[in-house]
């Protein structure tokens, strides 16, 4: 089945889906993105992803090049045209195409919008969740506004590659005070020995993950004790459980950190329960 991609108002075959070399996303990383899960042909948490997109755009003063209602049509049409059941939709808005100059382009420059979709077999994530993943820790090297979901992801790219080279699936950034900020593409959580579910509070130093919000709702419904505070790597190593959340991973148990076993090296019941409950607390459209 051939994939199609939405590029600035047109549907293109995947192999021919292109933006101009002077697109500011390509030249400066001057753009934002969203990744939305698709389950059973429906978008998961479209409303919250759209809200976060609008916030990222407004922080960078990039206008959305079409009404929100039209964007929703494009997102659903991307799923439909690609005959997708399960996977992800990727959306990117950049400041548009203009002669290379660091300052903003002339008023009226049209932002670029690209929407693509990728199938992912849910059985793969489910199998990984049964064994859990390894993470490595690295010093935080990102800019001070990672709450903006910007396409400029160089530190995340390097961190993910470092993880891969050490046989791990994710990297956790650690701030100057020794506290975990978040993963290279996920939010980080632990379950302490006293059964507290701990995750870092939102601020400019982490992305406000949509899955993080859904897991908070699931935790409240499950009467878990949720504490939003930073935690250290040592705390994570001593924790009963650790896990990460992201639209593409839902809730993914972490069983090793820097080569040391967490929670006996096997996924724990809290992560499993939150993963099982996740889609009951998400919105479908
Ligand atoms: N933090 C970072 C740096 C991310 O890249 C992501 C997702 O890609 C997340 C957190 C999780 O966000 P969400 O749950 O909205 O997918």
């Amino acid at each position: 089945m051939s994939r199609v991609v939405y590029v600035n108002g047109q549907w293109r075959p995947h192999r021919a889906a292109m933006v101009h070399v002077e697109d500011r996303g390509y030249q400066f990383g001057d753009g934002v993105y969203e990744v939305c899960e698709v389950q059973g042909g429906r978008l998961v948490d479209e409303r919250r992803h759209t809200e976060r997109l609008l916030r990222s755009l407004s922080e960078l003063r990039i206008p959305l090049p079409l009404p929100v209602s039209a964007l929703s049509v494009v997102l659903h049409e991307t799923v439909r045209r690609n005959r997708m059941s399960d996977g992800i939709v990727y959306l990117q808005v950049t400041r548009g195409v203009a002669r290379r100059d660091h300052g903003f382009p002339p008023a009226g420059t049209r932002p670029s919008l690209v929407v693509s979709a990728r199938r992912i077999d849910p059985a793969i994530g489910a199998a990984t969740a049964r064994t859990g993943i390894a993470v490595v820790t690295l010093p935080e090297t990102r800019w001070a506004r990672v709450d903006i979901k910007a396409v400029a992801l160089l530190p995340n790219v390097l961190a993910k590659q470092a993880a891969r080279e050490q046989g791990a699936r994710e990297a956790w950034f650690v701030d100057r005070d020794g506290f975990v900020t978040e993963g290279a593409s996920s939010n980080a959580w632990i379950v302490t020995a006293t059964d507290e579910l701990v995750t870092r509070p939102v601020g400019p130093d982490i992305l406000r993950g949509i899955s993080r919000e859904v897991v908070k709702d699931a935790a409240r419904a499950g009467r878990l004790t949720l504490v939003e505070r930073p935690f250290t790597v040592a705390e994570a190593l001593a924790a009963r459980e650790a896990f990460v959340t992201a639209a593409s991973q839902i809730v993914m148990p972490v069983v090793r950190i820097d080569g040391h076993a967490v929670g006996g090296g096997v996924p724990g019941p809290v992560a499993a329960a939150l993963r099982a409950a996740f889609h009951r607390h998400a919105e479908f459209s």
Side-chain angles (χ1 to χ4, degrees):
M1 226 290 297
S2 56
R3 289 170 71 190
V4 288
V5 180
Y6 177 91
V7 185
N8 293 323
Q10 295 189 311
W11 296 97
R12 300 270 188 204
H14 184 264
R15 66 176 182 285
M18 291 167 199
V19 292
H20 195 271
V21 290
E22 285 200 303
D23 189 278
R24 293 181 60 97
Y26 181 62
Q27 297 212 327
F28 297 114
D30 188 2
V32 302
Y33 75 106
E34 280 295 328
V35 176
C36 193
E37 188 198 359
V38 178
Q39 199 197 52
R42 290 184 297 164
L43 293 167
V44 180
D45 283 314
E46 176 195 3
R47 180 185 60 82
R48 288 191 263 206
H49 282 282
T50 303
E51 278 171 13
R52 186 173 64 186
L53 172 72
L54 295 177
R55 180 177 177 275
S56 296
L57 287 169
S58 119
E59 290 294 313
L60 299 181
R61 294 195 275 151
I62 299 174
L64 184 67
L66 73 185
V68 166
S69 56
L71 177 65
S72 178
V73 171
V74 171
L75 291 171
H76 285 94
E77 194 58 12
T78 306
V79 173
R80 195 187 70 76
R81 286 184 186 240
N82 285 282
R83 295 197 174 84
M84 282 253 304
S85 174
D86 301 291
I88 52 161
V89 165
Y90 177 87
L91 170 172
Q92 176 169 312
V93 184
T94 74
R95 209 181 299 276
V97 176
R99 189 175 68 89
R100 191 176 186 281
D101 178 7
H102 288 63
F104 287 2
T109 301
R110 194 172 170 74
S112 302
L113 170 62
V114 169
V115 183
S116 60
R118 193 170 87 207
R119 291 176 182 198
I120 301 173
D121 181 354
I124 296 170
T128 307
R130 282 195 288 278
T131 51
I133 62 165
V135 307
V136 295
T137 63
L138 291 168
E140 180 65 89
T141 48
R142 299 175 300 162
W143 74 320
R145 287 301 310 276
V146 297
D147 56 315
I148 300 169
K149 201 162 168 65
V151 295
L153 288 172
L154 202 40
N156 310 57
V157 167
L158 296 178
K160 214 52 155 193
Q161 183 59 22
R164 194 175 289 176
E165 287 170 7
Q166 292 173 64
R169 287 283 283 269
E170 180 57 301
W172 279 2
F173 290 115
V174 179
D175 71 16
R176 278 200 231 155
D177 301 318
F179 294 102
V180 174
T181 52
E182 63 179 335
S185 63
S186 59
N187 289 113
W189 303 69
I190 58 169
V191 180
T192 66
T194 54
D195 275 333
E196 282 181 341
L197 185 58
V198 181
T199 196
R200 191 175 176 108
V202 291
D205 44 12
I206 66 164
L207 183 73
R208 190 183 193 120
I210 306 302
S211 321
R212 179 186 177 282
E213 298 295 316
V214 175
V215 165
K216 277 174 60 177
D217 290 345
R220 280 192 209 102
R223 304 206 179 284
L224 299 176
T225 310
L226 174 69
V227 186
E228 290 183 75
R229 65 162 176 86
F231 60 85
T232 62
V233 176
E235 270 185 282
L237 285 169
R240 277 208 175 128
E241 295 183 38
F243 61 91
V244 295
T245 53
S248 56
Q249 303 198 67
I250 314 173
V251 175
M252 187 55 72
V254 170
V255 294
R256 293 189 86 74
I257 301 174
D258 292 333
H260 305 288
V262 182
V266 290
V270 174
L274 290 169
R275 186 179 172 92
F278 188 89
H279 290 110
R280 287 203 294 280
H281 297 274
E283 293 171 12
F284 289 82
S285 62

